Amino acid sequence: MKNMGNMMKQMQKMQKQMQEAQEELKEKTVEATAGGGAVKIVASGDKRIVDVEIDEEVVDPEDVDMLQDLMLAAINEVMGKVDELVEQDMGKFTKGMNLPPGMF
C-alpha cells in the first residue's frame, strides 16, 4: 500500500509540473517567414497567432493569391514550429508512454 501512496504522490507532482510547463508554453513564441521574409507570423506555445507582419511590397491588389499563399506557408510553418516546441517542453513528461502526436 505504501508503494501506491508514493506512486500517487509522484503522479500529483508530475501533473503539477505538466501544468506549470503548459503555462510556460503560453509565454514562449516561435516565428516563421515566407517569401524571403515578406510575411512573418509569430505564434505562442499554446497555438495562438500573436503577431503578423506583412511587407507592404507584397500587398498587390492585382495578386491577392500570392499574398494568401505566403500567409498559408508562414502559418503552416509556424504551427509546425509550435508542435516542435511543445514536444520539446512536454516530451520529457511523456517519454516511453507511446502517446499519439498532438496530445499536448
Side-chain angles (χ1 to χ4, degrees):
M1 219 37 176
K2 185 175 181 179
N3 284 340
M4 182 63 93
N6 284 338
M7 189 165 71
M8 290 300 291
K9 284 181 184 179
Q10 288 176 342
M11 291 296 288
Q12 288 172 340
K13 181 179 177 183
M14 186 173 83
Q15 184 179 23
K16 183 179 179 193
Q17 290 172 333
M18 287 175 67
Q19 287 172 337
E20 290 171 355
Q22 287 174 327
E23 288 300 314
E24 289 173 9
L25 277 171
K26 291 179 182 179
E27 302 301 317
K28 293 181 179 182
T29 60
V30 292
E31 69 179 54
T33 61
V39 171
K40 180 174 97 172
I41 306 288
V42 179
S44 64
D46 62 344
K47 295 189 174 188
R48 289 181 311 113
I49 303 299
V50 295
D51 192 29
V52 175
E53 293 181 20
I54 302 171
D55 187 329
E56 59 188 52
E57 291 179 19
V58 297
V59 181
D60 179 358
E62 301 296 317
D63 195 4
V64 173
D65 288 339
M66 181 192 66
L67 180 56
Q68 291 170 338
D69 290 344
L70 290 173
M71 293 293 295
L72 284 174
I75 290 168
N76 287 329
E77 183 179 337
V78 83
M79 287 298 122
K81 288 182 177 186
V82 169
D83 288 340
E84 290 172 8
L85 176 66
V86 170
E87 178 61 34
Q88 176 185 332
D89 283 14
M90 300 302 289
K92 60 188 168 208
F93 299 110
T94 59
K95 282 185 182 168
M97 291 179 135
N98 253 354
L99 295 176
M103 271 305 270
F104 291 100

